Amino acid sequence: MKRKTFLQQSAIFSVASLLMLKNNAFSKSVVNTLIDDTDADLYQLFKNPSIGYRPFVRWWWNGNKIERTELARELKLLKEAGIGGVEINPISFPSNTDDMGIPSVDWLSEEWIDLLKFTLTEAKKLGMTCDLLAGTGFPFGAGFLADEDRAQVVVVAVKKLVGPLKTEISLFDIFKEADPATLSPYTGRKMELLGLSIVPDPLTSMDQVKNITNQVVNDGVKIDLPKGNFAVYGLVKIDGFMKVIQGAPGGAGPVLNHFNEKAVKNYLNKITGTIQTRIGPLAPDVRSFFVDSLEMEGANWSTDMMVEFKKRRGYDLYPYLPFILFKTGRMGNTIDLYYTVNISPEMKKMLNRMRYDFEYTKAELFRERFSKSFVEWCAENKIKSRAQAYGRGHFPLEGSFDMDIPECETWMKYGIGEEISERDFMKYPWHLGRGNTMINKYVSSAAHLKGKKLISSEELTNTDMVFNESLELFKIAGDQSTISGVTHPIFHGFNYSPPDAAFPGWITYGGYFNEQNTMWPYFKHYTDYRARQSALLQQATFFADIAIMAPIADMWGEFGAQMEPFPWGVTPPYQQLIWESIHQNGNACDYVSEQVIADADFKGGWMTYGPRKYHTLFLIEVRSILPETAKKLYDFVKAGGRIFCIEAYPAQSLGWFNHEQKDAEVKQWVTKLKAYPDRFIFLAKPAANFKDWYQTIQAKYKVTPYVKIAKPNTFVTQVRYQTKNSDIFLFNNASAHLSIDLDATFLPEITDKKQAWIWDAVTGERFKLDLKDRSLKIKLCPADSKIIVFNKDRNGKNWDPVPEVTPNAMGLKSPWKAEFTHMDGTVKNQDLAELSDLKDLPDYTYFSGTVSYKNTITLANPANLHYLDLGQVFGIAELIVNGENLGTQWYGRRAYALGNLLKKGTNNIEIKVTTVMLNYMKSLTENTTAQYWSNNKKKEQPLQSMGLVGPINLF
């Protein structure tokens, strides 16, 4: 590969990372497969992707109960299933599970390191890539941490009282009230009272606050209140307040203080120092170190937090701290906005500004002390950094800037593939109907802004639909992940589980990726599909010429930082509908931030940041911005750019220090912006139907889509990628039930002198399209997706899809002979007078396995019968006609081209349908694991439809 071309194509790397390519396994598994952009090479890479492009799995080392033979067996099993790499993830052993007496191996012990080395060697023999979790469980921590290195949180305790009253309150009562309802409390946590005050209700001035800290005697305080409403406020610091969630032996214990740079570096260096002293450098055998969920339960403190705050923000926050904190619970999310006393509107405005300052300071310190330290540590060890660089109180965009491989999250939840109203979609902490979480678009935008093409995702995470994993649901959720910008799926997850473990094996989390799963023999169909997508998209650049900015600062000020990707609330709730509507209407966008705008250049109507250019910016209810940002917005509009302000104009500055002057500066710049009414435009949000609302904006303001969608549909979304010689479009139908007609017209510059193709990621084949007037008219079946490529290739087969069922089709309605091969090994035969959903048949409601439906048909004239449509199928289908297997259909419409297979006289038809496992697992009432994931408490799942329902038609 020529050096110039290599540098053009390898935008996934920073300058620093390019210097270490020679010593990095990542360079061998992925970088060197980036190609010169000839369309023939690009298609061959797509058709037959190398192992580096295959999906990875998170590989849970359950309880570190690992041994060599099983590690080797599972690696081979994964490779046979089409997996290209593993993320080694030590984690606690699942409760209520028989460990078969297998001992645990402590993380970082000599035995554990030797087993790690064995695993890396075996993976290398198989051509597989290894990533390594930097720690165990999540977030980082261990029992060896010194007291001063453990996570700290400062919380407020409020006890409301009515006077006149004389009483006494103990510190025990204050500490009990303050103790947050964390998911994973550490038993060794230590509480310290930082302050105690009497506060009137309502509170209108800080002068009304009476500090009584020095009145605490013998762990208690006497209180004498006059008539009125009051509250006792306690400010409490908790050292070592949480333990590692699901920490493995050797890595369990208190969580690390991520705001303590020295502690972070000591922790990370202990990992590499311990491992590499014994077995030598981990590079190139480890591609990346990984940071899993930053679920830090609201950690917000270090010994110098207030010193740093004053240095950065210009004032002392400490007296106000109790009044900017909310009552928090699991994952640090706000659980009560009205926990404190009533506060006057003017004072609330002041506290909101101070709360923003605190959240921003924490985010700065986290990025500087943890994220930067992690990235530098990875680079020092010649290993890539891969991270889920989000959580509560971290920059949702900038947090991913420095990571070599930024990571998203895509989950399996009931509602995926179903019709979801906008009202239900805007309920939190979940976007119903979506697998991609709200953080995905931020993370992928961050990658785009930094020129990175490798964007990973913890994908198909499943705690609600366990044992109901169908490849069709995988595809719908996975396609939504791809639409949100993911190019590198890492499935969540594969449990280390010996084959003789009690059924269904060791399961730490959901996602039953296991050879005992009924879908496992077909799993490679899905891994092939995702590998082809990844191989293509990692060569290309995501196209976007519209930027959007959400009011993160306003949200931090009013409600505090949220827990991404599952926020308690979002400001505004419809935020994600904006970017989705843009894509549903043939445009594309990235998120930007004030930092991005501050560092951008403006010329000729464009905002330019690194490799990205945007002609339009949407501000989504952004009410507060820095004066410097307001000035930059003016520069953009003056240079010919356009800004749409949804529901609000920016009207004030951020933060408390010198805010009156800064407010005036913001207002002055906004006044100047309003002098350009054709380019600084106010928009009212719609009452409903955001996709149609955006279409009217396109028409009114001439926001030209690169592909005009005639009838936008909330289920149908698109993205566009580009290489030097090709334009690539992905159209995705996220409905599990509806077929949708797509009528899309491309811009002339896309189609000019180029041939349109369908590249089929399922089969690897490609077909020529004959577009009339640049328009693509195609039916997207349920769970369907289409890759449309425009290039200068000319030779190839024309697309000839299976047509719709014709009115004169021949229905196959005669009795069927069915053979039920249960996953438990039993076989039962039965004649079926008609086809129906197996869950409605009492004898088969709890069936799981493969049903073979057999029939014979006699044809006098088969010449015009070339297709067979199976109708409704709940499961993975295989069709065998006259002894010839026509392949597997695992999603959407199950329809086959028969060619000339049918003959005059008797024809044998066999249809095999493999079902999901859930109904059977629900019936295993004595199996603790089965019941936990299918029937217990919040995880109770409904019975699932199964089998061949039809109608079946020949035509």
Side-chain angles (χ1 to χ4, degrees):
M1 182 182 294
K2 295 179 181 178
R3 176 174 173 82
K4 181 179 178 182
T5 305
F6 171 81
L7 292 173
Q8 290 173 338
Q9 294 297 321
S10 59
I12 53 177
F13 302 104
S14 64
V15 173
S17 64
L18 284 170
L19 299 177
M20 63 182 75
L21 287 176
K22 287 186 178 180
N23 297 318
N24 199 316
F26 180 52
S27 68
K28 298 170 185 174
S29 64
V30 178
V31 176
N32 289 345
T33 58
L34 293 176
I35 61 170
D36 292 314
D37 186 22
T38 63
D39 294 306
D41 289 344
L42 188 63
Y43 173 63
Q44 289 304 317
L45 185 68
F46 167 82
K47 183 178 181 180
N48 299 301
S50 61
I51 192 169
Y53 292 112
R54 292 199 156 273
F56 288 21
V57 294
R58 176 170 297 179
W59 189 14
W60 287 299
W61 283 8
N62 283 315
N64 276 335
K65 296 178 180 292
I66 50 176
E67 59 87 27
R68 293 176 181 237
T69 302
E70 181 59 19
L71 289 168
R73 185 191 77 88
E74 292 188 10
L75 281 171
K76 292 175 183 176
L77 182 72
L78 287 167
K79 183 176 182 181
E80 289 168 359
I83 296 299
V86 293
E87 169 205 304
I88 298 169
N89 196 307
I91 202 162
S92 62
F93 192 76
S95 60
N96 301 317
T97 301
D98 180 8
D99 69 359
M100 305 160 59
I102 299 174
S104 293
V105 181
D106 280 353
W107 176 64
L108 295 187
S109 66
E110 291 185 352
E111 184 181 359
W112 187 89
I113 295 169
D114 290 344
L115 287 166
L116 173 64
K117 177 62 175 178
F118 171 81
T119 302
L120 298 177
T121 301
E122 290 299 301
K124 188 174 183 179
K125 291 177 184 177
L126 296 170
M128 298 177 74
T129 302
C130 289
D131 290 353
L132 180 62
L133 180 70
T136 80
F138 53 93
F140 290 172
F144 56 70
L145 292 176
D147 288 354
E148 62 270 20
D149 294 343
R150 297 173 179 178
Q152 300 176 331
V153 66
V154 169
V155 293
V156 65
V158 178
K159 297 184 75 69
K160 294 182 180 179
L161 303 171
V162 178
L165 177 69
K166 290 185 177 181
T167 188
E168 186 171 353
I169 296 178
S170 69
L171 289 190
F172 175 82
D173 289 334
I174 295 295
F175 290 158
K176 183 178 179 181
E177 179 66 28
D179 203 8
T182 56
L183 173 69
S184 186
Y186 179 55
T187 55
R189 62 193 183 279
K190 299 176 182 178
M191 294 191 175
E192 176 188 350
L193 182 70
L194 299 181
L196 198 65
S197 302
I198 299 293
V199 180
D201 189 358
L203 176 66
T204 59
S205 168
M206 289 297 294
D207 295 336
Q208 298 172 293
V209 177
K210 181 181 179 182
N211 190 322
I212 60 170
T213 310
N214 59 4
Q215 298 178 24
V216 175
V217 178
N218 296 326
D219 292 333
V221 63
K222 293 180 180 180
I223 294 174
D224 186 357
L225 298 176
K227 184 178 180 180
N229 295 323
F230 298 88
V232 175
Y233 269 60
L235 188 66
V236 178
K237 178 166 74 76
I238 312 175
D239 291 332
F241 76 102
M242 73 171 292
K243 67 179 180 181
V244 178
I245 302 170
Q246 304 285 7
V255 164
L256 175 72
N257 190 332
H258 291 59
F259 299 105
N260 182 333
E261 184 176 352
K262 182 180 177 182
V264 169
K265 290 182 175 179
N266 286 343
Y267 179 85
L268 296 173
N269 288 331
K270 181 177 178 63
I271 295 173
T272 43
T274 305
I275 295 174
Q276 295 182 150
T277 297
R278 183 165 180 82
I279 62 174
L282 285 167
D285 295 328
V286 170
R287 175 187 72 160
S288 73
F289 286 127
F290 175 56
V291 177
D292 198 1
S293 300
L294 290 168
E295 297 178 15
M296 294 166 54
E297 304 269 30
N300 62 7
W301 204 252
S302 63
T303 55
D304 64 344
M305 181 63 73
M306 289 296 95
V307 173
E308 285 294 326
F309 182 94
K310 187 173 183 179
K311 182 171 67 177
R312 294 162 187 257
R313 305 283 88 86
Y315 66 97
D316 184 6
L317 178 67
Y318 197 73
Y320 306 93
L321 190 57
F323 306 99
I324 66 169
L325 299 174
F326 291 115
K327 182 72 170 177
T328 59
R330 179 170 171 158
M331 293 301 151
N333 268 323
T334 302
I335 58 176
D336 188 354
L337 286 172
Y338 307 101
Y339 177 63
T340 57
V341 299
N342 294 300
I343 296 174
S344 67
E346 285 305 310
M347 191 169 180
K348 186 175 186 297
K349 290 178 182 177
M350 176 188 73
L351 294 174
N352 283 359
R353 289 178 179 271
M354 293 179 171
R355 186 178 296 113
Y356 164 78
D357 282 340
F358 186 47
E359 297 290 2
Y360 191 85
T361 301
K362 286 191 302 177
E364 279 185 324
L365 290 173
F366 182 87
R367 186 179 179 189
E368 294 166 13
R369 296 179 173 184
F370 176 77
S371 297
K372 182 181 177 183
S373 298
F374 173 70
V375 170
E376 290 176 347
W377 172 69
C378 291
E380 288 165 4
N381 288 281
K382 298 181 172 61
I383 289 174
K384 293 291 175 185
S385 57
R386 177 177 142 241
Q388 297 176 356
Y390 44 82
R392 185 177 188 268
H394 315 317
F395 294 120
L397 192 72
E398 291 87 348
S400 294
F401 274 3
D402 297 328
M403 301 302 168
D404 294 309
I405 310 174
E407 178 147 302
C408 311
E409 286 191 38
T410 297
W411 283 56
M412 297 289 294
K413 290 275 187 180
Y414 280 104
I416 290 174
E418 305 298 325
E419 185 84 46
I420 301 294
S421 69
E422 287 182 344
R423 180 182 295 274
D424 286 338
F425 173 79
M426 288 187 283
K427 292 178 180 177
Y428 289 90
W430 191 261
H431 285 301
L432 290 175
R434 307 298 191 273
N436 51 56
T437 61
M438 61 81 62
I439 199 65
N440 284 21
K441 189 66 173 176
Y442 280 102
V443 172
S444 64
S445 296
H448 302 153
L449 287 159
K450 292 299 180 179
K452 299 172 185 176
K453 298 179 181 179
L454 193 65
I455 305 166
S456 63
S457 176
E458 172 192 309
E459 194 156 299
L460 308 180
T461 306
N462 188 353
T463 59
D464 285 4
M465 304 178 70
V466 183
F467 305 122
N468 184 27
E469 291 109 341
S470 69
L471 296 188
E472 180 169 78
L473 285 174
F474 281 175
K475 185 176 185 300
I476 294 173
D479 285 345
Q480 289 180 331
S481 191
T482 302
I483 288 294
S484 68
V486 171
T487 64
H488 176 36
I490 297 175
F491 298 148
H492 181 288
F494 186 82
N495 283 275
Y496 178 98
S497 181
D500 51 350
F503 179 78
W506 298 349
I507 304 177
T508 289
Y509 284 111
Y512 190 57
F513 293 88
N514 186 286
E515 65 269 32
Q516 298 181 81
N517 195 327
T518 52
M519 65 100 176
W520 189 258
Y522 303 93
F523 189 50
K524 195 170 183 294
H525 289 283
Y526 185 60
T527 59
D528 286 349
Y529 171 75
R530 295 305 299 277
R532 292 189 180 104
Q533 282 188 336
S534 295
L536 178 61
L537 299 184
Q538 287 176 29
Q539 312 304 316
T541 299
F542 180 93
F543 177 89
D545 56 5
I546 294 173
I548 56 175
M549 190 171 90
I552 298 297
D554 289 306
M555 178 178 69
W556 283 9
E558 187 169 1
F559 301 117
Q562 299 297 296
M563 174 60 199
E564 290 95 4
F566 307 120
W568 167 81
V570 165
T571 303
Y574 61 82
Q575 181 191 136
Q576 183 159 312
L577 288 170
I578 300 299
W579 82 255
E580 287 195 349
S581 297
I582 289 171
H583 281 263
Q584 288 161 2
N585 281 279
N587 286 123
C589 60
D590 286 326
Y591 275 115
V592 296
S593 65
E594 291 203 56
Q595 179 181 318
V596 170
I597 293 170
D599 293 338
D601 295 318
F602 309 98
K603 185 177 181 180
W606 293 91
M607 176 196 305
T608 303
Y609 180 94
R612 310 301 282 175
K613 293 177 66 175
Y614 310 102
H615 57 68
T616 297
L617 170 65
F618 282 86
L619 301 180
I620 309 174
E621 295 197 25
V622 175
R623 292 176 165 83
S624 307
I625 57 174
L626 295 169
E628 301 91 321
T629 307
K631 194 266 183 190
K632 284 281 192 169
L633 295 180
Y634 176 77
D635 292 343
F636 178 42
V637 169
K638 185 179 179 182
R642 181 163 48 186
I643 298 174
F644 292 106
C645 299
I646 302 176
E647 283 294 293
Y649 288 121
Q652 65 180 31
S653 65
L654 293 166
W656 175 249
F657 184 74
N658 202 17
H659 69 276
E660 296 95 340
Q661 177 183 335
K662 293 176 181 177
D663 283 356
E665 291 177 35
V666 169
K667 290 174 182 177
Q668 288 172 3
W669 285 116
V670 171
T671 298
K672 292 181 178 180
L673 280 161
K674 289 179 179 178
Y676 296 89
D678 58 331
R679 298 201 297 276
F680 189 67
I681 302 162
F682 181 90
L683 296 174
K685 71 175 178 67
N689 201 341
F690 277 77
K691 62 174 173 51
D692 286 358
W693 166 79
Y694 182 74
Q695 193 176 43
T696 62
I697 292 170
Q698 284 179 319
K700 182 176 181 179
Y701 297 102
K702 295 181 173 56
V703 181
T704 305
Y706 51 74
V707 55
K708 175 70 174 176
I709 312 295
K711 295 180 179 179
N713 189 296
T714 53
F715 280 121
V716 177
T717 311
Q718 60 75 40
V719 289
R720 177 188 181 187
Y721 282 78
Q722 293 177 306
T723 66
K724 184 173 64 177
N725 296 317
S726 305
D727 262 294
I728 302 162
F729 296 84
L730 281 77
F731 293 95
N732 168 40
N733 176 13
S735 174
H737 311 290
L738 302 176
S739 290
I740 298 170
D741 291 319
L742 174 67
D743 185 347
T745 303
F746 299 91
L747 286 177
E749 51 264 40
I750 293 171
T751 62
D752 185 42
K753 297 180 181 179
K754 289 185 178 179
Q755 173 63 49
W757 298 82
I758 280 185
W759 287 20
D760 188 344
V762 174
T763 65
E765 296 184 279
R766 64 175 177 176
F767 304 95
K768 292 172 64 175
L769 290 170
D770 183 16
L771 301 188
K772 305 296 185 184
D773 299 321
R774 310 189 315 278
S775 292
L776 172 69
K777 292 180 172 63
I778 196 171
K779 184 178 290 294
L780 296 175
C781 296
D784 202 357
S785 57
K786 291 288 186 287
I787 297 175
I788 309 299
V789 177
F790 291 90
N791 61 29
K792 294 184 178 180
D793 283 1
R794 299 296 176 185
N795 298 322
K797 296 182 292 185
N798 292 324
W799 190 47
D800 185 21
V802 175
E804 295 296 298
V805 177
T806 56
N808 61 346
M810 176 188 297
L812 304 186
K813 298 180 180 179
S814 56
W816 292 79
K817 292 186 179 296
E819 180 180 83
F820 294 81
T821 304
H822 200 287
M823 66 177 299
D824 65 9
T826 61
V827 180
K828 185 176 181 179
N829 292 281
Q830 183 169 330
D831 290 343
L832 299 176
E834 60 181 2
L835 298 173
S836 62
D837 189 337
L838 297 184
K839 77 172 172 56
D840 297 329
L841 301 178
D843 290 343
Y844 301 104
T845 300
Y846 298 103
F847 175 81
S848 176
T850 299
V851 187
S852 177
Y853 300 84
K854 295 180 180 179
N855 209 334
T856 59
I857 55 173
T858 302
L859 299 173
N861 183 14
N864 294 323
L865 297 175
H866 300 293
Y867 304 99
L868 187 143
D869 188 298
L870 300 184
Q872 194 168 39
V873 180
F874 296 104
I876 300 168
E878 288 183 78
L879 175 64
I880 302 165
V881 177
N882 292 331
E884 183 163 339
N885 193 316
L886 294 179
T888 301
Q889 298 277 0
W890 49 274
Y891 71 93
R893 182 189 180 197
R894 275 70 161 181
Y896 291 82
L898 303 179
N900 296 313
L901 272 180
L902 295 176
K903 60 185 180 181
K904 187 175 181 179
T906 302
N907 292 266
N908 297 309
I909 307 291
E910 181 180 4
I911 302 162
K912 293 182 178 181
V913 178
T914 301
T915 74
V916 295
M917 296 174 59
L918 176 65
N919 296 5
Y920 174 53
M921 303 306 282
K922 288 175 70 70
S923 73
L924 300 179
T925 56
E926 302 301 315
N927 188 309
T928 303
T929 302
Q931 293 304 293
Y932 174 78
W933 292 109
S934 64
N935 275 348
N936 289 349
K937 299 179 181 178
K938 295 182 179 180
K939 299 187 184 301
E940 184 174 2
Q941 299 188 60
L943 287 170
Q944 296 298 298
S945 294
M946 300 183 296
L948 180 61
V949 177
I952 301 172
N953 286 293
L954 277 169
F955 59 103

